[in-house]
Amino acid sequence: MHFVDAKGILSPQNGMNIYRGCTHGCIYCDSRSTCYGFTHAFEDVEVKQNAPELLEKALRSKRKKCMIGTGAMCDPYMHCEETLQLTRKCLELIARYEFGATVHTKSDRVLRDLDLLKRIHEKAKCVVQMTLTTYDESLCKILEPNVCTTRRRAEVLEILRDNGIPTIVWLSPILPFLNDTEENLNGILQYCIQSKVRGIICFGMGMTLREGDREYFYEALERHFPGLWQKYHRKYGYAYELASDRNQELMRLFHDICEKHGIWHDAETCFEYLHAFPEKYEQMKIFPFF
C-alpha cells in the first residue's frame, strides 16, 4: 500500500472512499476496470491518510445533516484497516457531528466498529450494506478468496440485527455458469430472511465486464475452471452486460420470495432508504420541547 494526501473526501452525493484498490481478491471486481483510471496496481492500495481531517472539515461546513456513505468503490474494511483504522476514525467523526452513515462491505471486520454503528444509529441512522453472491462455501472461497465467506457474512447480518442496526443486501454479481442456480438463490435468500434484512438490491441475474476487469476475470476462470472463459467469450463476446440464461426464472423467484417475507426488492426503494436522513431527528434538534 502507499499513502497520499487527498484534496477532497466527499463526492457530490456524500460518498466517501478512504482507500483506492482492494486486497479481497474477488475475481469479478468491476473496480479493476481501466475506466476508473488506476495508475497503480489494484492490490497496492492507495490510502488517503488525511481522510479524517478532510471529513471533519466537510462535516463542519455542511448546513444540513445527511447520510455519509462509504464502500461504493472499495471496501472500507479490507486488511489494512486493521492497523490504520481510518474507517473507524471517520465513523467517530460522523457520530460526533451526528450525521447518518451507510457502510458497504463484505468483511466481518465491520463488527469491530459495532459500538460506533450503534451510536450513530441512536442519534441519526446507520445502515450496513453487505454483498452476498455465493451460497456454496467452496465456490465462494474461489470467487472471493481473501474475505470472509457468505456464511460468516450471514452471521454478521444476524449480529447487526440483534443490535438494532438495519441492513441491506446486494445480490450481485451472479456469474453465468457458476452461481446462477436456484439452489444458490434460495440459500442466499434464506440467509436474508433469517437476518431480517430491510431490502435486497438486485439488478438481474448476471454480471458486467469492462476492459481491465474482463482480462482479470478470464485469467481467474482459466486458473480455476479451465475452458470456461472460452465459453463466456463465445456467448458474450465483449459485451458489457452478461445476463444469465436463467435470468427470468430466477428473478421471478427472487421477487416472489422477497414479497412473501416483506423484504424490499425494488432497488429504487432501497436507495431512497439509504439516502434518507431521518428528518424527525432534525426537527427534534430545532424544537427540543416537542
Side-chain angles (χ1 to χ4, degrees):
M1 62 183 169
H2 61 282
F3 297 83
V4 299
D5 284 322
K7 294 181 180 180
I9 195 62
L10 290 183
S11 72
Q13 293 76 37
N14 297 307
M16 170 178 64
N17 283 298
I18 301 168
Y19 303 108
R20 264 190 110 224
C22 190
T23 52
H24 287 342
C26 303
I27 71 171
Y28 52 73
C29 183
D30 177 71
S31 294
R32 293 181 181 274
S33 302
T34 56
C35 64
Y36 296 117
F38 276 83
T39 56
H40 55 87
F42 192 68
E43 287 76 11
D44 178 19
V45 175
E46 181 178 282
V47 179
K48 299 176 184 178
Q49 60 187 354
N50 60 335
E53 292 81 6
L54 291 173
L55 179 62
E56 182 166 23
K57 182 179 179 181
L59 296 182
R60 292 181 68 176
S61 68
K62 284 190 176 294
R63 300 179 62 184
K64 188 177 181 180
K65 296 291 197 302
C66 63
M67 299 293 291
I68 306 296
T70 187
M73 273 289 292
C74 297
D75 200 305
Y77 285 104
M78 67 185 80
H79 303 79
C80 60
E81 173 62 19
E82 290 184 3
T83 54
L84 297 177
Q85 299 195 27
L86 290 176
T87 297
R88 181 170 180 85
K89 291 174 183 176
C90 288
L91 289 175
E92 287 173 342
L93 290 167
I94 291 170
R96 183 189 310 165
Y97 288 95
E98 300 183 353
F99 280 70
T102 174
V103 178
H104 191 173
T105 185
K106 290 177 183 169
S107 175
D108 56 358
R109 294 185 186 92
V110 67
L111 293 178
R112 180 203 64 185
D113 295 337
L114 184 57
D115 60 325
L116 288 173
L117 304 181
K118 292 170 68 174
R119 194 188 314 168
I120 293 168
H121 196 60
E122 287 170 1
K123 294 290 187 179
K125 185 173 79 175
C126 183
V127 186
V128 172
Q129 303 173 70
M130 186 71 74
T131 296
L132 306 180
T133 69
T134 310
Y135 181 71
D136 182 273
E137 292 288 283
S138 298
L139 181 58
C140 183
K141 290 175 183 177
I142 295 173
L143 304 184
E144 302 161 345
N146 303 325
V147 68
C148 64
T149 62
T150 300
R151 183 182 300 161
R152 174 56 179 162
R153 286 176 231 169
E155 292 173 355
V156 171
L157 288 171
E158 292 187 0
I159 293 170
L160 293 168
R161 174 204 64 200
D162 293 343
N163 282 272
I165 303 298
T167 54
I168 296 285
V169 159
W170 284 72
L171 181 58
S172 175
I174 299 298
L175 310 183
F177 314 121
L178 285 171
N179 60 5
D180 57 341
T181 66
E182 187 172 326
E183 179 184 11
N184 185 62
L185 179 58
N186 276 322
I188 292 174
L189 291 179
Q190 282 304 309
Y191 281 146
C192 294
I193 293 165
Q194 291 168 206
S195 305
K196 297 188 182 331
V197 302
R198 295 285 182 93
I200 303 175
I201 296 172
C202 179
F203 296 107
M205 299 297 159
M207 65 182 303
T208 61
L209 284 180
R210 289 190 269 210
E211 182 183 357
D213 174 24
R214 181 183 295 108
E215 289 77 7
Y216 187 88
F217 178 64
Y218 282 173
E219 288 173 6
L221 287 185
E222 187 61 21
R223 286 197 309 272
H224 299 290
F225 313 99
L228 186 54
W229 80 266
Q230 290 97 328
K231 188 174 182 179
Y232 266 83
H233 192 61
R234 283 194 301 269
K235 180 173 180 58
Y236 299 107
Y238 291 92
Y240 170 60
E241 296 183 357
L242 286 62
S244 165
D245 287 340
R246 306 190 66 190
N247 178 61
Q248 289 189 345
E249 62 181 283
L250 292 177
M251 286 304 292
R252 191 180 307 115
L253 178 63
F254 165 69
H255 289 302
D256 288 347
I257 293 178
C258 288
E259 190 70 24
K260 179 180 178 180
H261 292 277
I263 298 173
W264 299 332
H265 47 103
D266 173 67
E268 190 61 33
T269 300
C270 293
F271 287 134
E272 287 178 3
Y273 174 70
L274 289 169
H275 290 112
F277 186 83
E279 295 299 325
K280 182 178 178 181
Y281 173 66
E282 280 290 273
Q283 293 170 4
M284 289 172 63
K285 296 287 288 184
I286 299 171
F287 305 107
F289 46 88
F290 279 110

